[in-house]
Amino acid sequence: MNATRWRWLGLVAAVLAVAAALWVTSGKRRSRPAPQDPASVARKPSARSTQPATTTRSPGGVIRREPTVEGEGAVQGRVVDQDGQPATEGQLVLWCLGSDGQVARIHDGVVTLDQEGRFSGPGCRGRVCPRLRHPFLVPASPWSMRAGTEITLEARTLPRLWGRVVDPQGNAVAGAQVVITAGADDDPTAVLPVVTSATSTDADGIFSVARIERPPCDPCQEAGPGCPDELLPVLDQVEVIARAAGWAPGSRTVDVAEARDLESAAVVAVSAPGAAITGRLVDAEGQPLPRAVVLARSQLRSHEQHQTRAPDGEFSFDTLADGPYTVRAIQDGRELTRQLDVEPGTDVELRLVERQRDVELVVVNAEGSPRADVQVEGGPFARQRTDAGGRVRATRAIPGTYILRVTPPGASVRAHDLRIPPLPKLDPADVALTLTLPEAD
C-alpha cells in the first residue's frame, strides 16, 4: 500500500515539473518580441495617428485615404484679402506636418471663418498648414503656423471671367440668366475654367465668375505627395449662353484669357424673339394629358431648350431664336411622341396612338393578402401609399411599361416592373392590376 502511494506521488511530481518547465519556456517566448522587418517598422503609423477619417478622389479617379492626427494645442488668426478686408465666408482645413516628417489632417480641424475673417482650431506638434476653401479667394503665399500662435493670413482674389448681356440696340439686360458650358467640339477630358457655371447679370447687364487657379503649395504639400505640376486640362474657350424674359436666347464663344476685365468683357447679345411654336397635345381620343411636359430643343444650339405644360392640351413657346426645333412630349418618365424640324411660326399637333386608362393597383403579399401603407412611386403614381385594401390609383395613364419603386413599412425600397396594357375599343377605360411582393418583404 505504501509502495503504491509513493508511486502516485512520484507521478504527480513529474507532471508538475514538466508543466513548470513549459510555463517558463513560453513566458520567455512572450517576453522576447519577434524581430520585425525594418521597412515595416518605418511604415508603421505613429501612436498619435488615428484611423483614416476621410477619403478624397484624385483627378484620375483614384480614391486616396487621408490619415488624421489628434489635435494638440490651438491655433487662431484671421484671413484677410489684399486690401485688408476680412474673408467673411469659407472654411479652413487644418493639416499637420509633424517633427517626424509625416503629414496628416488634424482631427476636427475644419473651421469656419466668422464675419471678421477670424478662426480658431486645434493645432499639433509641428507646423500647421491651413488650406482655404473659398469661392473666390486663394492664399497669396504658402500658409503655415504653429500651435499657440495667432497670425493674419493674406489671401488674394481669383481672376474673373467678365461679360455683358445686351439687347439688339446695345442696352444692358438686367437679371439675365447666364450659363457657361463647353463647346460641342471641345476636349471631353477638359474642365471648365470657372468655379461656377451659372450666374446672372446685375443692373448694368454685367456678370462675372471666378476662374479656377491652383493655390501655392504649402509646407505640408511639399513634404507629402507634393504639389501637382498643373491642373487637369482646362478649356481655353467656353460657350456663354444668356436667357432673359421677353428675349430670345443669345450665345457667344468666349476666349477666357481675353475677357479678363471689365474693359475687355465679352458681349453676349440676346435677340428679339421670333414667331412662336404653338400646338396641341392629345391622346388617340383627342383628350389632353394633364401631367405631360412639352419640350422644344433647338437643333442648331444643343444648349437651348424650352419647357412648358399643356394641362388643357394647348402649349406655346414664344421666346425662340432662329432655326428648327425638336418638339417632344413626356409624361410619367416616358417619351410619348416627338416631331422634328419644327420651325418658329408653326402650329403642330402631337397626337398619341394609345388611349389613356385609369389604373387601380393592388399590392398583396405572397399569400394574396393586401398590404396597407406601402409607398408606391414611379410611372403614374406620385409617392402614393396603399389603403387598407392595398390599393393605389392613377388616372389617365398611358399604356406601357414603367418601373415602380415600392417600399413596404419597415423594409427597403425595391424596384418592380409594371405593364399597363393597351386599351382595346370595347374595353372599359379603367384596369385593375396586382403587384405581389416577395416573401422577404
Side-chain angles (χ1 to χ4, degrees), residues 91-370:
Q91 292 179 325
L92 294 180
V93 181
L94 303 178
W95 285 74
C96 178
L97 172 58
S99 56
D100 56 0
Q102 298 297 313
V103 177
R105 280 183 60 167
I106 301 176
H107 184 62
D108 289 334
V110 179
V111 295
T112 301
L113 302 175
D114 67 13
Q115 292 302 309
E116 297 296 325
R118 297 189 181 279
F119 66 91
S120 177
C124 72
R125 290 185 180 180
R127 302 179 71 177
V128 178
C129 304
R131 296 184 188 168
L132 180 62
R133 292 175 177 171
H134 199 277
F136 55 83
L137 294 175
V138 293
S141 60
W143 287 352
S144 68
M145 57 193 307
R146 293 190 179 275
T149 62
E150 183 172 354
I151 191 172
T152 297
L153 302 172
E154 183 180 341
R156 61 181 176 82
T157 304
L158 286 169
R160 304 188 72 82
L161 171 67
W162 290 87
R164 179 185 291 110
V165 177
V166 299
D167 64 16
Q169 287 71 43
N171 301 314
V173 177
Q177 300 300 308
V178 177
V179 176
I180 300 169
T181 184
D185 299 328
D186 286 328
D187 181 0
T189 65
V191 298
L192 288 174
V194 291
V195 300
T196 181
S197 60
T199 186
S200 59
T201 58
D202 62 15
D204 298 318
I206 300 296
F207 68 89
S208 72
V209 292
R211 292 165 48 185
I212 60 174
E213 185 175 292
R214 180 169 63 84
C217 289
D218 59 43
C220 296
Q221 291 171 312
E222 295 286 1
C227 292
D229 294 333
E230 58 185 23
L231 294 169
L232 288 171
V234 177
L235 296 171
D236 296 325
Q237 294 183 332
V238 294
E239 192 78 9
V240 179
I241 304 105
R243 297 186 177 93
W247 298 98
S251 64
R252 178 179 174 182
T253 300
V254 176
D255 188 293
V256 177
E258 290 181 358
R260 62 186 181 276
D261 52 39
L262 187 56
E263 285 70 27
S264 60
V267 177
V268 182
V270 293
S271 59
I277 292 177
T278 57
R280 298 180 68 246
L281 171 64
V282 295
D283 67 3
E285 294 180 324
Q287 298 299 314
L289 291 86
R291 296 191 303 277
V293 175
V294 185
L295 306 175
R297 180 185 291 274
S298 170
Q299 295 176 204
L300 302 179
R301 300 166 296 278
S302 60
H303 56 77
E304 183 195 341
Q305 178 168 285
H306 306 262
Q307 176 178 312
T308 190
R309 290 188 176 273
D312 57 355
E314 304 290 334
F315 64 87
S316 176
F317 300 102
D318 56 4
T319 56
L320 306 177
D322 296 332
Y325 287 79
T326 298
V327 180
R328 306 163 60 212
I330 296 175
Q331 178 174 284
D332 301 333
R334 295 181 62 241
E335 180 179 283
L336 307 177
T337 184
R338 69 166 57 192
Q339 188 165 329
L340 303 176
D341 301 323
V342 180
E343 294 284 347
T346 304
D347 186 73
V348 298
E349 180 171 298
L350 302 178
R351 179 178 289 272
L352 279 65
V353 176
E354 301 92 350
R355 298 162 59 196
Q356 301 176 74
R357 306 196 72 168
D358 294 340
V359 179
E360 179 181 88
L361 177 66
V362 181
V363 180
V364 300
N365 59 19
E367 290 75 28
S369 301

Side-chain angles (χ1 to χ4, degrees), residues 378-404:
F381 303 100
R383 297 182 66 87
Q384 300 181 44
R385 290 189 176 273
T386 57
D387 60 17
R391 296 180 295 267
V392 289
R393 297 173 179 84
T395 60
R396 306 173 76 176
I398 300 298
T401 300
Y402 299 88
I403 298 177
L404 303 184

